[in-house]
C-alpha cells in the first residue's frame, strides 16, 4: 500500500495492521544519464515488487530517497529517517536499494534488501522468508 492511499481517518483504523514501512533508496548520485536513471528506477521497482505484492495489507511504501552520497552524514540521515518512521507508528522498517555497491549502515532498519555482488535481485522466497522471520521475532 502506498502512503498516499491512506487518509487520516483510515490510518487510525489500519495502523495496527500496517506495521511495516518500506523505505526505497534508489542509490543515484546525480551523474546518471536519463536512460540510466530509468534503469535504476525500474530495478528498484522490481525489488519493491518482491515485498509490496505478496505483503499488501501489512506494508506501507514511503516515498523513495533517490539521491545518495557515500558520506557518513547520509547514513546518519537514513538512520534518523528509519527511527522517525518507527516513532510515527511503524514497528518495522525495511530499506531497499537497487544499488548493490551501496553499503548501507542503518541500525534503525530492521531489514535491508539489495542486489547481490553479481547484481542479481534477491529471489522471492528469500525475501518472503526474511520478512516472515522478522515478523515472527526470529530475525
Amino acid at each position: 500500500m502506498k502512503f498516499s492511499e491512506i487518509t487520516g481517518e483510515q490510518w487510525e483504523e489500519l495502523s495496527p495492521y500496517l506495521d511495516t514501512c518500506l523505505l526505497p533508496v534508489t542509490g543515484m548520485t546525480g551523474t546518471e544519464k536519463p536512460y540510466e536513471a530509468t534503469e535504476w528506477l525500474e530495478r528498484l521497482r522490481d525489488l519493491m515488487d518482491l515485498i509490496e505484492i505478496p505483503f499488501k495489507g501489512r506494508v506501507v511504501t514511503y516515498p523513495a530517497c533517490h539521491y545518495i552520497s557515500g558520506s557518513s552524514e547520509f547514513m546518519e540521515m537514513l538512520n534518523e529517517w528509519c527511527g522517525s518512521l518507527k516513532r510515527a507508528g511503524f514497528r518495522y522498517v525495511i530499506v531497499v536499494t537497487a544499488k548493490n555497491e551501496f553499503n548501507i549502515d542503518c541500525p534503525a532498519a530492521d531489514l535491508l534488501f539489495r542486489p547481490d555482488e553479481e547484481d542479481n535481485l534477491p529471489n522471492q522466497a528469500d525475501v518472503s522468508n526474511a520478512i516472515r522471520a522478522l515478523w515472527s521475532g526470529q530475525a
Side-chain angles (χ1 to χ4, degrees):
M1 183 170 237
K2 304 276 189 243
F3 68 96
S4 58
E5 298 171 348
I6 303 169
T7 65
E9 297 81 28
Q10 290 173 313
W11 179 244
E12 294 306 316
E13 179 183 335
L14 296 175
S15 63
Y17 309 103
L18 298 171
D19 66 349
T20 305
C21 178
L22 180 61
L23 182 59
V25 179
T26 308
M28 294 189 295
T29 62
T31 60
E32 296 80 12
K33 296 169 184 66
Y35 68 91
E36 291 172 323
T38 300
E39 290 169 1
W40 281 114
L41 291 170
E42 288 171 348
R43 285 188 51 77
L44 184 61
R45 176 209 56 214
D46 293 346
L47 182 52
M48 292 169 55
D49 281 352
L50 298 175
I51 300 166
E52 289 179 312
I53 293 171
F55 297 112
K56 185 175 183 165
R58 184 146 182 201
V59 174
V60 178
T61 301
Y62 261 57
C65 174
H66 292 296
Y67 297 97
I68 58 129
S69 72
S71 71
S72 62
E73 290 85 14
F74 178 79
M75 290 303 157
E76 289 173 22
M77 250 185 346
L78 181 61
N79 197 54
E80 178 58 33
W81 292 333
C82 291
S84 294
L85 289 166
K86 288 182 176 183
R87 288 188 295 278
F90 291 102
R91 184 168 180 191
Y92 307 105
V93 176
I94 300 172
V95 174
V96 295
T97 184
K99 198 164 193 168
N100 67 355
E101 64 270 6
F102 182 41
N103 290 324
I104 293 178
D105 180 23
C106 186
D110 297 289
L111 286 175
L112 165 66
F113 294 108
R114 66 173 160 219
D116 64 18
E117 297 80 30
E118 288 82 40
D119 214 27
N120 299 309
L121 295 180
N123 70 51
Q124 180 68 63
D126 290 342
V127 171
S128 292
N129 290 338
I131 293 171
R132 290 179 204 285
L134 174 68
W135 288 342
S136 68
Q138 298 172 5

